[in-house]
Amino acid sequence: MNSKLNKELISRSLQLAALAEMQPDDRIARITWDRIQDDLEQADSMVFGMQFCIANIAAFIKTYFKETEHSIAALSSCHQLIAFLGWNQEQVLTMEQSRKVFIDYIKDVVSMYNDTKQNHCENAQCILAMNMNSMLLQDLDYVMKQSPQRERSLSPALETTAQLRSQMVQVFGWNSSET
């Protein structure tokens, strides 16, 4: 028992040391992403996780960014992705919890630190959305590798997710070298 506790404390200490070395926006995003993953693990469903990510990416872009050709294209890619995966668009989009994910969780994390500014929160929100996109890419890749017969039908979804990533970089005003 003591050995397990010591190992856990060492592991936590290393994690805390790594967090302390991160830039504030990366630290906020990292801690918030861990909370989101905890929520998704409770659902224990890859489909739910993918739908959650798509819904929240779409809601984030629609709610927090002005309408431009880039934001319209990104939202269109979210809708195409839902269609390629054979899901009901209206049902998926109502799953969004963007206020909880992009505001409430971040506020909770920010309250623990005194070295954060508004732009750190905004960057952390964008990093979270990119993490959701990465999770989609990984999940689609995993399913395609597990089921070669589904590879052909899922290829358009994978391509759309990669395209969405590029569009998100544009929407967020990042240079492509930042991702």
Side-chain angles (χ1 to χ4, degrees):
M1 170 87 174
N2 222 5
S3 176
K4 279 187 175 182
L5 180 59
N6 286 339
K7 286 180 184 177
E8 178 68 20
L9 289 173
I10 290 169
S11 172
R12 297 285 179 169
S13 295
L14 293 173
Q15 290 172 347
L16 290 173
L19 285 172
E21 292 178 16
M22 290 179 176
Q23 295 296 320
D25 45 351
D26 291 328
R27 182 180 344 123
I28 295 164
R30 179 74 205 165
I31 295 168
T32 306
W33 181 243
D34 287 344
R35 290 181 183 185
I36 292 166
Q37 286 184 307
D38 288 345
D39 290 350
L40 292 176
E41 284 178 16
Q42 289 180 8
D44 195 27
S45 165
M46 183 182 289
V47 170
F48 175 82
M50 293 172 71
Q51 291 174 342
F52 177 89
C53 289
I54 297 167
N56 282 295
I57 290 169
F60 178 61
I61 291 170
K62 185 175 183 175
T63 305
Y64 299 103
F65 293 89
K66 65 182 177 182
E67 191 173 290
T68 65
E69 73 178 74
H70 298 298
S71 63
I72 292 168
L75 288 172
S76 176
S77 290
C78 289
H79 299 161
Q80 284 179 331
L81 184 55
I82 293 167
F84 285 141
L85 294 170
W87 299 327
N88 179 298
Q89 181 174 316
E90 197 173 303
Q91 185 178 7
V92 170
L93 295 177
T94 60
M95 293 177 63
E96 68 93 5
Q97 298 176 23
S98 61
R99 170 112 181 115
K100 174 181 165 184
V101 170
F102 294 108
I103 304 293
D104 297 340
Y105 279 175
I106 287 180
K107 276 185 184 177
D108 288 344
V109 173
V110 167
S111 70
M112 296 187 288
Y113 298 97
N114 61 7
D115 66 343
T116 56
K117 296 179 174 66
Q118 180 65 33
N119 66 318
H120 294 141
C121 297
E122 292 166 0
N123 286 335
Q125 290 172 325
C126 296
I127 293 168
L128 283 174
M130 292 303 270
N131 285 345
M132 289 180 189
N133 182 278
S134 293
M135 188 175 127
L136 287 167
L137 287 167
Q138 290 170 9
D139 286 352
L140 286 168
D141 185 57
Y142 173 80
V143 172
M144 290 169 72
K145 286 180 179 172
Q146 296 302 310
S147 176
Q149 65 270 22
R150 296 190 68 199
E151 187 171 344
R152 184 177 303 156
S153 66
L154 290 176
S155 288
L158 186 66
E159 291 170 16
T160 301
T161 305
Q163 180 180 349
L164 174 60
R165 183 174 190 81
S166 297
Q167 293 163 336
M168 290 166 64
V169 167
Q170 294 294 317
V171 170
F172 301 159
W174 291 352
N175 296 322
S176 59
S177 62
E178 292 182 48
T179 57

